[in-house]
């Protein structure tokens, strides 16, 4: 059984278990724990919960979010009929392959080619027309976008004179970079799929063997070109070799190439600028921090003695190393993700003026610098008392399971090339931390379906895998803490998630006033996702699709 089939089997098994424990047929839940006629098993649907929209900025507009040192970064231009258009660009420093790499450079070095390569996150593969193709689960949209790769001229630094106010990079600071780019775009190949019409290709990238005369070597039997290196699918762009010839091999520049401290100031990195070219577009979540991400310079130099063949060599410059360091050091390469959003009027209209008393009809969750939802369970009355929570405490029920269910608004998402996020993430908003149900879920952490019992996985139609039905999230431990341990009834946050295992957070550029506490950050996993979804809220006119909290319990008869 391959990995994909195993994951699907795991998810189906968990889904079946969830359906048994959450739907009306509740005959077996708890029977392994309570098998006594003195107990009954039943379901309670909470009546006093609300959910409303919250933008990432103060007021009615989404605001900037911190995007430095993200584990994964969005790149591309995505045309979304529901939320509007998003352009995601990226900047990174580079690192020398070693100290003094050019110290023993031979005579008359001449660059043959320069290319940048960033591997995609790939899935399973299959052979199509004799070519190996891979699934690309982290690329979205079927169109193209304009990709321009520049030498960055803005000095990136993590130094701050105030230790209590560290230097941060925010998603709306693209102008800082674009004001200092050097020269013209370096990816000037005649192959437009590398620049003005960039597309995410599923096929491997082949480097062929060449003869001394510059022609490609072929197999004597088949006549097919001989492959020297085959790179897995990724961002690949040939860069201007004349530009790098002057940059790296000019004698006056050699002193700046002796160590990384000098090099980071001399060559301040690469800026990947993405912009929209049509009415479709595409966007991907990229692993710039991969150990395989690199800028490669291929060159020849004269032999040691007259008549010797010229020697072919390569330099590899690292890209975005040490991105996941919890505390970036001077050796970390600084990165930044920049978002340019042209939000749709419909999206902005629906997230403005949220109903914090009765809840919203629809919840608009948008990754990047977008929006999330605030959820209040067992809302308090005007006297500051939650009558419903007090009712649950008095009953002394044994909680076997509890689930929050969110149905997808398929009608709103029916237009265009909308792609739904696979996961959503529920967390303690007031304290910016995980809830207990997340902490107690020990399912595998290395897959799309990590924390599958905790949930938040999109359940899809069996006849059309592109259409989502609902998300469900386990909150049994959280509810038990409220009832039996008098835990604080905190507000919960609900956001899209690219990586459910990443529970870190990043700063909002502008803090949000959401009494009783100010919201200063948002989950990193939400920032990394370029996707969005629309869910029915608790105040939906369609009662069957309303967000709901169902509590399954064992009740003593006496």
């Amino acid at each position: 059984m391959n990995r994909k089939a195993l994951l699907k089997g795991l998810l189906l098994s968990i889904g079946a278990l969830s359906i048994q424990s959450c739907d009306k047929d509740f005959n077996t839940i708890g029977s392994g724990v309570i098998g006594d006629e003195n107990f009954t098993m039943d379901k309670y649907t909470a009546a006093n919960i609300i959910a409303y929209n919250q933008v990432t900025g103060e007021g009615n507009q989404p605001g900037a979010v911190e995007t430095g040192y993200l584990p994964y970064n969005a790149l591309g231009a995505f045309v979304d009929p529901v939320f509007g258009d998003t352009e995601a660009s990226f900047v990174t420093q580079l690192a020398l392959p070693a100290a003094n790499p050019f110290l023993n450079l031979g005579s008359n070095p001449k660059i043959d080619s320069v290319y940048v390569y960033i591997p995609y996150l790939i899935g399973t593969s299959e052979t199509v027309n004799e070519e190996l193709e891979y699934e690309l689960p982290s690329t979205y949209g079927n169109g193209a976008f304009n990709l321009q790769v520049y030498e960055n001229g803005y000095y990136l630094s993590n130094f701050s004179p105030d230790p209590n106010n560290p230097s941060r990079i925010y998603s709306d600071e693209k102008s800082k970079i674009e004001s200092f780019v050097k020269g013209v775009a370096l990816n000037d190949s005649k192959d437009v799929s590398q620049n003005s019409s960039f597309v995410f290709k599923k096929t491997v990238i082949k480097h062929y063997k060449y003869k001394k005369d510059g022609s490609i070597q072929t197999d004597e039997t088949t006549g097919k070109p001989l492959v020297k290196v085959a790179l897995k699918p990724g961002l690949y762009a040939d860069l201007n070799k004349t530009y790098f010839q002057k940059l790296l091999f000019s004698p006056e520049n050699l002193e700046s190439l002796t160590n990384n401290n000098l090099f980071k100031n001399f060559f301040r990195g690469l800026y990947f600028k993405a912009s929209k070219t049509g009415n479709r577009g595409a966007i991907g979540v990229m692993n710039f921090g991969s150990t395989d991400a690199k800028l490669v310079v291929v060159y020849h130099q004269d032999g040691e003695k007259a008549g010797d063949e010229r020697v072919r060599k390569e330099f590899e410059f690292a890209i975005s190393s040490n991105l996941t360091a919890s505390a970036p050091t001077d050796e970390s390469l600084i990165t930044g993700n920049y978002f340019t959003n042209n939000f749709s009027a419909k999206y902005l209209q629906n997230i403005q003026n949220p109903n914090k008393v009765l809840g919203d009809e629809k919840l608009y969750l948008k990754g990047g610098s977008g929006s999330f939802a605030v959820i209040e369970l067992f809302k308090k009355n005007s006297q500051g008392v939650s009558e419903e929570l007090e009712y649950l405490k008095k009953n002394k029920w044994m909680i076997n399971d509890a689930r929050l269910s969110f149905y997808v608004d398929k009608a709103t998402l029916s237009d265009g090339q909308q792609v739904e996020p696979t996961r959503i993430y529920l967390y303690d908003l007031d304290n910016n931390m995980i809830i207990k149900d997340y902490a107690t879920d020990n399912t595998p952490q290395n897959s799309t379906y990590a924390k599958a019992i905790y949930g938040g996985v999109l359940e899809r139609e069996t006849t059309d895998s592109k259409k989502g039905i609902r998300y469900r999230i386990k909150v049994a431990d959280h509810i038990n803490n409220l009832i039996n341990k008098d835990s604080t009834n905190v507000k919960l946050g609900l956001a899209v998630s690219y990586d459910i295992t990443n529970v870190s957070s990043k700063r909002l550029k502008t803090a949000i006033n959401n009494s009783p506490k100010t919201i200063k950050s948002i989950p990193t996993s939400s920032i990394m996702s370029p996707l969005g979804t629309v869910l029915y809220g608790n105040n939906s006119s369609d009662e069957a699709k309303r967000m709901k909290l169902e509590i399954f319990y064992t009740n003593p008869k006496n």
Side-chain angles (χ1 to χ4, degrees):
M1 180 181 292
N2 62 29
R3 182 173 178 269
K4 181 178 179 183
L6 181 63
L7 291 176
K8 284 186 175 180
L10 172 64
L11 184 61
L12 289 172
S13 299
I14 293 169
L17 179 62
S18 299
I19 291 171
Q20 288 180 349
S21 62
C22 294
D23 289 341
K24 291 184 178 180
D25 186 7
F26 190 62
N27 294 328
T28 62
I29 294 298
S31 60
V33 178
I34 304 296
D36 195 305
E37 292 184 358
N38 292 322
F39 296 86
T40 60
M41 291 165 284
D42 211 339
K43 177 179 75 173
Y44 176 83
T45 301
N48 198 10
I49 62 172
I50 68 166
Y52 53 87
N53 290 290
Q54 177 62 65
V55 295
T56 53
E58 188 65 68
N60 294 325
Q61 293 284 339
V65 294
E66 184 186 357
T67 54
Y69 298 103
L70 290 177
Y72 298 97
N73 294 268
L75 181 71
F78 191 61
V79 181
D80 189 321
V82 177
F83 293 93
D85 303 341
T86 296
E87 295 176 345
S89 300
F90 177 76
V91 68
T92 179
Q93 293 179 318
L94 273 69
L96 292 171
N100 291 310
F102 301 98
L103 183 62
N104 297 315
L105 192 66
S107 60
N108 194 26
K110 185 175 181 180
I111 291 180
D112 296 318
S113 65
V114 182
Y115 67 88
V116 62
Y117 168 70
I118 316 293
Y120 297 143
L121 297 159
I122 59 175
T124 57
S125 63
E126 62 178 339
T127 301
V128 179
N129 296 327
E130 298 185 354
E131 289 286 340
L132 193 63
E133 291 189 359
Y134 289 82
E135 288 184 344
L136 304 180
S138 294
T139 63
Y140 315 103
N142 299 317
F145 61 92
N146 182 25
L147 175 66
Q148 296 168 290
V149 182
Y150 292 95
E151 179 186 353
N152 170 44
Y154 181 81
Y155 184 66
L156 298 168
S157 173
N158 57 17
F159 171 77
S160 173
D162 182 359
N164 297 317
N165 186 26
S167 176
R168 302 180 190 275
I169 294 174
Y170 289 97
S171 59
D172 64 345
E173 296 177 338
K174 184 170 73 171
S175 60
K176 286 184 178 180
I177 303 299
E178 297 197 344
S179 297
F180 291 93
V181 292
K182 293 186 177 182
V184 297
L186 300 173
N187 57 327
D188 54 0
S189 169
K190 293 181 180 180
D191 180 0
V192 296
S193 68
Q194 295 186 15
N195 39 65
S196 61
S197 187
F198 187 90
V199 292
F200 295 110
K201 294 181 179 180
K202 300 180 179 180
T203 52
V204 297
I205 302 160
K206 298 176 181 178
H207 285 178
Y208 297 103
K209 294 182 178 180
Y210 286 86
K211 301 177 182 178
K212 292 181 181 179
D213 62 4
S215 61
I216 297 177
Q217 294 185 36
T218 57
D219 185 277
E220 293 180 356
T221 303
T222 64
K224 293 182 178 180
L226 293 176
V227 177
K228 182 178 182 179
V229 178
L231 301 172
K232 289 182 179 180
L235 184 157
Y236 181 92
D238 290 303
L239 304 183
N240 188 292
K241 61 183 182 181
T242 302
Y243 190 91
F244 282 90
Q245 177 78 32
K246 181 178 179 181
L247 183 81
L248 300 177
F249 294 158
S250 295
E252 63 269 21
N253 293 339
L254 290 181
E255 185 178 348
S256 299
L257 303 171
T258 56
N259 61 64
N260 271 320
N261 286 334
L262 293 173
F263 178 69
K264 287 178 183 179
N265 185 44
F266 168 68
F267 186 81
R268 297 180 176 180
L270 292 176
Y271 173 52
F272 297 79
K273 179 182 179 180
S275 54
K276 191 174 76 168
T277 59
N279 58 1
R280 293 177 64 83
I283 199 166
V285 179
M286 307 285 295
N287 185 8
F288 283 91
S290 167
T291 55
D292 293 324
K294 56 193 175 183
L295 181 139
V296 179
V297 177
V298 182
Y299 71 100
H300 283 76
Q301 64 184 36
D302 288 344
E304 293 182 1
K305 296 182 295 184
D308 286 352
E309 290 186 8
R310 284 172 60 79
V311 181
R312 181 183 184 275
K313 293 187 176 182
E314 291 185 359
F315 281 122
E316 290 189 4
F317 295 85
I319 296 178
S320 303
S321 62
N322 303 321
L323 285 185
T324 57
S326 58
T329 67
D330 290 340
E331 296 301 316
S332 301
L333 298 183
I334 300 173
T335 66
N337 217 169
Y338 304 104
F339 308 138
T340 301
N341 296 297
N342 182 20
F343 294 120
S344 70
K346 183 177 181 180
Y347 169 52
L348 293 176
Q349 179 181 355
N350 278 278
I351 60 175
Q352 291 174 351
N353 303 315
N355 191 334
K356 297 184 179 182
V357 177
L358 300 177
D360 285 334
E361 181 176 356
K362 297 180 181 182
L363 305 176
Y364 283 73
L365 311 184
K366 174 68 173 70
S369 53
S371 57
F372 57 100
V374 178
I375 298 173
E376 297 182 33
L377 305 180
F378 315 122
K379 189 172 174 62
K380 295 178 181 180
N381 58 25
S382 57
Q383 285 76 42
V385 177
S386 173
E387 297 175 4
E388 187 171 32
L389 184 56
E390 292 303 314
Y391 168 78
L392 295 176
K393 290 180 178 180
K394 289 178 182 178
N395 278 286
K396 298 181 180 179
W397 292 337
M398 178 182 292
I399 306 300
N400 298 306
D401 198 8
R403 301 268 167 171
L404 274 168
S405 297
F406 304 90
Y407 283 86
V408 177
D409 182 355
K410 292 188 284 187
T412 299
L413 297 177
S414 62
D415 297 331
Q417 60 174 354
Q418 177 64 37
V419 183
E420 298 170 73
T422 301
R423 302 295 293 263
I424 59 174
Y425 172 56
L426 183 76
Y427 62 102
D428 177 345
L429 179 65
D430 284 349
N431 299 298
N432 188 31
M433 60 185 294
I434 60 175
I435 62 172
K436 187 175 181 181
D437 295 84
Y438 181 102
T440 56
D441 184 348
N442 295 316
T443 49
Q445 302 299 297
N446 57 350
S447 74
T448 304
Y449 305 121
K451 299 290 183 181
I453 296 175
Y454 158 82
V457 181
L458 179 62
E459 300 173 20
R460 300 181 185 271
E461 294 179 0
T462 56
T463 56
D464 186 348
S465 61
K466 294 182 180 180
K467 299 296 182 181
I469 301 173
R470 67 180 171 183
Y471 301 88
R472 288 186 289 183
I473 301 177
K474 177 177 173 289
V475 289
D477 294 330
H478 181 71
I479 300 300
N480 259 319
N481 279 348
L482 293 179
I483 294 175
N484 299 317
K485 297 184 178 180
D486 290 324
S487 296
T488 303
N489 189 14
V490 297
K491 291 181 181 179
L492 302 175
L494 185 70
V496 300
S497 176
Y498 175 74
D499 178 7
I500 199 70
T501 66
N502 189 315
V503 296
S504 65
S505 61
K506 291 286 188 179
R507 285 273 182 169
L508 299 172
K509 193 170 187 178
T510 304
I512 302 167
N513 181 19
N514 193 291
S515 179
K517 294 192 176 182
T518 300
I519 303 173
K520 297 181 179 180
S521 59
I522 190 171
T524 302
S525 61
S526 177
I527 297 172
M528 292 188 292
S529 174
L531 303 180
T533 190
V534 183
L535 309 175
Y536 289 100
N538 68 288
N539 204 17
S540 170
S541 57
D542 187 342
E543 292 187 19
K545 298 293 178 63
R546 284 178 183 171
M547 161 199 165
K548 60 173 66 73
L549 169 60
E550 295 173 306
I551 301 173
F552 301 91
Y553 62 92
T554 303
N555 187 27
K557 288 183 178 180
N558 55 352

